[in-house]
Each structure stands twice: as structure tokens, then as C-alpha cells.
Amino acid sequence: MDRLSVIGDAAIEVIAAEGMRGLTHRAVDRLAGLPVGSTSYYARTRAALLELTIARIVELDQAEVPPPAGGLPESVAGYVYEALGPGRTRMLARYELALEATRRPELRARYDSGGAVIRRLAAEALEAAGSTDPVRHATLVVDWMDGTIFGALAGASVPPSRESLVASAREILTGIGIGIDLD
């Protein structure tokens, strides 16, 4: 793994564990097991470190998009389930960065580009499944996914089971007119 990936991964961990206030160059160096000053060599400013972190999240999202297992409902549910399990740390960091991007316009474009990747992939999958308006439907599905993930991570709801997520995904997809065999 290259040094930028190591720094990005450590920054994600720091943000997830300590929030944005805990994100310092030294904290990233310490967590990554790097000599003091390593992170600031690659990302001189806090803004540069935030951009590097967002870029790493986008890179991981693109690398870890699993091929559909089963049908579309199972694939959608699988993404949410993974985000609540192995992807939990990355999702916590993503939500912290989303809020930071509302206060830092220079991060907004970088952050939004990551969301655009997920929405584009969702639109492509929905179009292949027969959606009559894949971009709008992708927004609905991704918003449901994001809301479900956020609610479970923030403690507003109990983390759902995989089976419950599949049932909900079927209901959402059926509601937008995607023909799903419910048997």
C-alpha cells in the first residue's frame, strides 16, 4: 500500500473515532505508525488533509462496490448491511466530512464527486432493471440507503438485519416501478 493510502486510511480512522476536532497531522502520523511530520509532508494544510481523506473514501468506495449478489434488492441491501458492519468506520468519517463540507465550500466539490459516483452506479443498475427514470429513481434509492445507514449509525434506529434490509429494498424498488419477483 502506498503512503497516501496509509495516510488516508489513518485519517478515516481518526475522524471516525475522534471527530473532526481530533483530526490532526500528528494524530494521523501516530495512528498510521509513521514518523512525525510524514502526513504534513504529503498534505501541508488541514484542507489538503481533508481533501486527501475524501479522495481515499471515494477510492475505497469504487474499489469495494461488490458485484450484485442475487438480485437488485439483495445488492442494495448488501451495500447498506456492509456499511453498517465492515464499512462502519468509513461511513462515520463520511458523515463527519459531509458536515464539514457544508462549512467549507472548497471541500464541497470533492465531497459531492464521491456521492455522484454512487448515484451514477445506482442509476446504471436501475436502468438495467427497467427504470423509466433512472436518475430520479437512483436519488430515491440512495437517499433511502443513506437515511437507513445514518439512522443506524447515529443510534436513531436499531441496525436492521440483512433480511429486513432486503425486504425494505424490495418495497422501495417495487414502489418506483422496478419489477421485482417477490417470491
Side-chain angles (χ1 to χ4, degrees):
M1 183 180 303
D2 68 16
R3 182 71 53 110
L4 288 176
S5 297
V6 169
I7 291 169
D9 290 347
I12 291 166
E13 294 279 340
V14 169
I15 292 169
E18 300 177 35
M20 294 306 291
R21 295 184 123 204
L23 182 67
T24 65
H25 289 78
R26 284 184 183 260
V28 173
D29 287 340
R30 186 173 40 254
L31 189 65
L34 297 172
V36 172
S38 297
T39 297
S40 60
Y41 176 80
Y42 290 95
R44 291 252 180 245
T45 64
R46 180 175 179 81
L49 181 56
L50 291 170
E51 286 191 23
L52 184 152
T53 306
I54 291 170
R56 181 61 177 158
I57 287 173
V58 171
E59 179 184 346
L60 290 169
D61 284 347
Q62 291 174 343
E64 295 183 13
V65 173
L72 189 56
E74 290 79 12
S75 182
V76 169
Y79 180 90
V80 174
Y81 191 77
E82 290 300 311
L84 295 173
R88 182 179 193 280
T89 298
R90 190 164 72 239
M91 292 306 297
L92 288 170
R94 174 180 281 116
Y95 291 133
E96 290 276 352
L97 288 162
L99 292 173
E100 189 70 15
T102 66
R103 294 181 288 274
R104 300 183 115 188
E106 69 275 13
L107 292 178
R108 181 87 265 154
R110 174 72 83 169
Y111 183 84
D112 289 348
S113 71
V117 169
I118 297 298
R119 290 180 193 283
R120 180 182 50 77
L121 293 171
E124 290 170 2
L126 291 169
E127 184 174 35
S131 170
T132 57
D133 193 350
V135 173
R136 186 171 66 82
H137 291 157
T139 297
L140 293 169
V141 171
V142 171
D143 286 353
W144 168 77
M145 293 165 65
D146 209 24
T148 301
I149 294 165
F150 183 83
L153 291 180
S157 62
V158 175
S161 67
R162 185 181 293 269
E163 295 75 22
S164 172
L165 289 168
V166 170
S168 294
R170 285 180 187 275
E171 291 170 359
I172 294 287
L173 293 168
T174 300
I176 62 173
I178 302 296
I180 302 295
D181 180 13
L182 297 175
D183 292 330

